[in-house]
Amino acid sequence: MTHLQAQLEEWSNRTEKLQKRLREAGLQGCLVTQNVGIYYYTGAMQTGYLFVPAEGDPTYYVRRSVARAERESKVRAVELVSFRNFGEQLAADYPWLGQSASGQAKPAVGADLDVMPAQLYLRLAEAVPQVSLTDSSSLLREARSVKSAYEIDCISVAANVAADALSEGLEALKEGMTELELMAVIENAMRLRGHVGLMRMRGYNQEIMTGVVAAGEAAAEPTYFDGPAGGRGLSEAAPQSASLRPIGRGEPILIDIGCCIDGYTIDQTRTAVIGALRPELQSAYDTAVAIIRRSEQWLKPGAIPEDLYAEALRMASEAGLSKHFMGFGKDQVKFLGHGIGLEIDEWPVLARGFRSALEAGMVIAIEPKFTFPEWGVVGIENTYVVTETGYRPLTQSPERLFELP
Amino acid sequence: MTHLQAQLEEWSNRTEKLQKRLREAGLQGCLVTQNVGIYYYTGAMQTGYLFVPAEGDPTYYVRRSVARAERESKVRAVELVSFRNFGEQLAADYPWLGQSASGQAKPAVGADLDVMPAQLYLRLAEAVPQVSLTDSSSLLREARSVKSAYEIDCISVAANVAADALSEGLEALKEGMTELELMAVIENAMRLRGHVGLMRMRGYNQEIMTGVVAAGEAAAEPTYFDGPAGGRGLSEAAPQSASLRPIGRGEPILIDIGCCIDGYTIDQTRTAVIGALRPELQSAYDTAVAIIRRSEQWLKPGAIPEDLYAEALRMASEAGLSKHFMGFGKDQVKFLGHGIGLEIDEWPVLARGFRSALEAGMVIAIEPKFTFPEWGVVGIENTYVVTETGYRPLTQSPERLFELP
C-alpha cells in the first residue's frame, strides 16, 4: 500500500466508524464545525463546516482557504457558497436530508455543540432549517477515543520529543533559575523538534501552554486549569504554569510537560529535586508511583475507567493522603487520568461516571499527584496505549525521581 | 492614590462603562462566561460566570478555584453552589432579576454568545429560567475597544518585548536556517521576557502561535488564519506560521510577531531580506509603507474605520496591486487592520461595515501587506493608540526593510 493509499484508508475508516455511531443514534448525519474535529475527519484544517451523512460521502464546505482545503482534504472539499444559504447547498448535495419518513418532527442532525459557539448554533438553525441540530458531543468524543496505529505512532513521536526536551531541561536545571527559565529551555527544545507552538484543549476556557514547570509552594497554587497541578503563572491574566519564582534546594520541582507534533499531543510528568525531598514528600511520591503501578495492573480492555479512579482514591486514603490527592482540599480535581490525542482532554476520563469499558487503542495519560500547599506538588504521569492484552507505555522518559546534586 | 486604589478604580470604570451600555440596550444585566471577558471585568481568570447587573454590584460565581478568585478578583467572588440551581443563587443576590414591568415577555440579559458554547447556552437557559439570554457580543466587544491608560501601558510593555525579540531574531538570521529556527529564537526571547506562552484570539477556530515567520513562497500559502499572511506551517494539523523551509537569499522574510505580557498582546510586522528584494517586491513594500503613512494621516478620533480600508484598497489598486493586497486572489482578507488588547482580534476592524467613528484610546494594528504566490509576502504592521489629536505608535521596532548582507 502506498503512503497515500494508507492515508485514504485511515481517513475513510474514521468516517465509517462515525457513520455507524450516527446510524445507531438515529441521526441523519453530523455537522462538524470545530477545527480539530474537521481535521480528524478530513485531514485538513481550513475554515468551514464538514457534513458527514449517516450513509454516503462527506462534504467539506470551505470558506477559506478553499485552495488549501482542496489540496489537503481526504474528503470532497467544495467552496461554501453562502452561509445564509448553506441549507440550500446541503439540500443540493443531500436531497434526502431533512425528509422524515413519518412526515412529522424535523429529523435530527448531530453537531459538536460542546465547542460550537451559541451564536453560530443559532445562525445555523436558520441557515439549515430542514433539520434540527442536536448535541452529539459525547458521540464525537467517543468516536475519537480509540486511536488507530497511525495515531499511536504520531503520539509516540511527540513522546520522544518530550523525552528529549526533559533531558535538556534537567541538564540546564540549577538552583536559583526561575521556573520560567527552566520552562523556556524545555519549550525551545520541543519547538526546534517540531512542536507546532500550541496545544489544543477542548474544554471551554481551558488553555495550556506546554504544561506546568513549577517548584515549591508556587506549584501548589490552585488554578482554573482542569488538572491536579496548576501553578502560579506569570500573571493574574494567565494564572497557571511557570512563574518567576526561583527554584530552590530541597523542594519538589514538578515538570509536567507536553508538546504537539503533527497535531498529536503527549503529556508526561516527572518530579525533580535539587538535594533531597523531605520525608513526607518522598513518601507521597512513593504513593504516586504505587498508584501508577496499580493502574498499570488494571489497564486492559474491559476495565472500567471509574474503577481505576476509585482504586487510586482508596490507595491515597490508605496512605493518609486523601486531602492532598489530585490537588488540595476544595481545589481537587476528580479524576486520575484522561484520554489524549489531538486534544489533551480527550475521552475516556478515569473518573466517576465513566463506566464504558476500556478498549484496545485508547490512549490515556495517568497522573497521580499529591499537593501540599506549603511545600509543592509531587507525582508522576505516563501516557499509555491500551493493547489487546494490557498496555504499552508511550512515554519515553526514564521513570524516577530526579535527584540532582 | 495607591496601586490598589488605582486598580480598583480601573476595574470599577470598566464595569460602569458596561453598565451604561446595558441600560442603553434595555438589558437587565449581562452574563460573561469567557475567560478573557471575566478577566477584563474582575481581574481574575478562574472558572466561573460573572453577572454584571445593569445597576449595582457585579458578582463572580466561581467553580474553581474559589480561593484564588477571592484573592485576585476586584469584584465580589462567591462559590457557585450548583450549576443546576444557578438561577436560584442569582435570584437570591438579585431578586429583581427576571421581573418584568409589564409582566409580559421574559426580560433579557446579555451574554457573550459569540464565544459561549451552544451546549452551555442551552444549559444556562434551563438553569436560569427567569431571563432570556440574548447575544451581546457586539456590545461587549465595543465596550472593550477603548483602552484605559493602564491598558495602553500594558500593550506598550508587550511592544517593547516584541522589539527586543525582533532584534535577537535579526541578529540570529542567516541564510539556510529554517523558518522554524528563526521563529524559535524570537519566541525564546519573548518567553524569557515574560510572554505568557500563548496569545488569545476570539474568533471560533482561530489560533495563533506567536505570529508568522515565513519566507518566500511558503509565506504566501493561504491558510484558515484570518490575516493577510498565513504561512505553510509545520503540518496539515497546524497549517499556518513557520515551516521547516530554509530561508534563502533574495526572498522576502516576513516577521509578523506578537507576544502576550500580563494578558495584553501586541502585533507587529517587519520585512527582512538577505541581499535585496526583486524590484516588484521592493515596489510593493514601498506601497505598503505609503499605505501605512496615509493611514496615519487619517488616524484620529472621528475617522471612520471603513474609510481607511477603502483608501488602502484605492492605493493598492492605483499601484496595480489589487489582486495581491492582504492575501492573494480568493484568499484575500477584507480588512486593513484590527483592534488589539487582551485578544489579537478586537474591535474596531478597519473593514467594510465598521462605520462607528474612531475614539481616543482605541488601539489598532494596521498591517498593509502584499502577497505574491511564487515570491512571498512583503509588508509592514504597526500598532497605534488613537489619541485626542491623532495617534501614537506603540510598536517600538525601527521601521524599515531589514536588508542583511
Side-chain angles (χ1 to χ4, degrees), chain A residues 68 200 207 232 235 262, chain B residues 68 200 207 232 235 262:
Chain A
R68 192 150 180 184
R200 298 190 175 105
E207 311 177 311
R232 182 175 293 163
S235 154
D262 202 10
Chain B
R68 192 149 180 184
R200 299 189 176 105
E207 311 177 311
R232 180 175 294 164
S235 156
D262 201 9

Side-chain angles (χ1 to χ4, degrees), chain A residues 7 33-36 38-39 43-49 63-68 71-72 74 79 112-123 135 137 180-181 183-185 187-188 191-198 200 204-210 221-242 244 261-264 326-327 330-333 342, chain B residues 7 33-36 38-39 43-49 63-68 71-72 74 79 112-123 135 137 180-181 183-185 187-188 191-198 200 204-210 221-242 244 261-264 326-327 330-333 342:
Chain A
Q7 288 255 307
T33 69
Q34 183 223 25
N35 59 353
V36 175
I38 288 174
Y39 174 74
M45 201 184 263
Q46 301 303 307
T47 300
Y49 310 103
R63 296 182 82 129
R64 180 167 182 274
S65 155
V66 177
R68 192 150 180 184
R71 200 171 73 212
E72 298 181 353
K74 278 83 180 171
E79 183 170 2
D112 46 7
L113 299 195
D114 61 333
V115 285
M116 182 197 301
Q119 188 183 77
L120 177 58
Y121 167 73
L122 297 169
R123 288 179 182 173
D135 190 0
S137 313
L180 178 63
E181 285 166 342
M183 181 115 213
V185 170
E187 286 177 347
N188 191 247
R191 189 66 161 132
L192 287 172
R193 288 167 175 82
H195 170 51
V196 303
L198 50 78
R200 298 190 175 105
Y204 182 44
N205 287 334
Q206 289 294 309
E207 311 177 311
I208 185 170
M209 293 75 173
T210 40
E221 285 203 22
T223 74
Y224 69 110
F225 180 70
D226 193 17
R232 182 175 293 163
L234 290 171
S235 154
E236 292 168 3
Q240 63 159 314
S241 191
L244 295 178
I261 309 281
D262 202 10
Y264 284 86
M326 304 303 283
K330 289 189 82 160
D331 288 305
Q332 287 174 311
V333 293
L342 291 169
Chain B
Q7 287 255 307
T33 69
Q34 183 223 27
N35 60 353
V36 175
I38 288 174
Y39 174 74
M45 201 185 262
Q46 302 303 308
T47 299
Y49 310 103
R63 295 182 83 128
R64 182 167 180 272
S65 155
V66 176
R68 192 149 180 184
R71 200 170 72 211
E72 298 181 353
K74 277 82 180 171
E79 184 170 2
D112 45 8
L113 299 195
D114 61 334
V115 285
M116 182 196 300
Q119 189 182 76
L120 177 59
Y121 167 73
L122 296 170
R123 289 179 181 172
D135 190 1
S137 313
L180 178 63
E181 286 165 341
M183 182 113 211
V185 169
E187 286 176 346
N188 191 247
R191 190 67 162 130
L192 288 171
R193 288 168 175 81
H195 170 51
V196 302
L198 50 78
R200 299 189 176 105
Y204 182 44
N205 288 334
Q206 289 294 309
E207 311 177 311
I208 184 170
M209 292 78 172
T210 40
E221 286 203 22
T223 75
Y224 69 109
F225 180 71
D226 193 18
R232 180 175 294 164
L234 290 172
S235 156
E236 292 169 3
Q240 63 157 313
S241 191
L244 295 177
I261 309 280
D262 201 9
Y264 283 86
M326 304 304 282
K330 289 188 83 160
D331 287 305
Q332 288 174 310
V333 293
L342 291 169

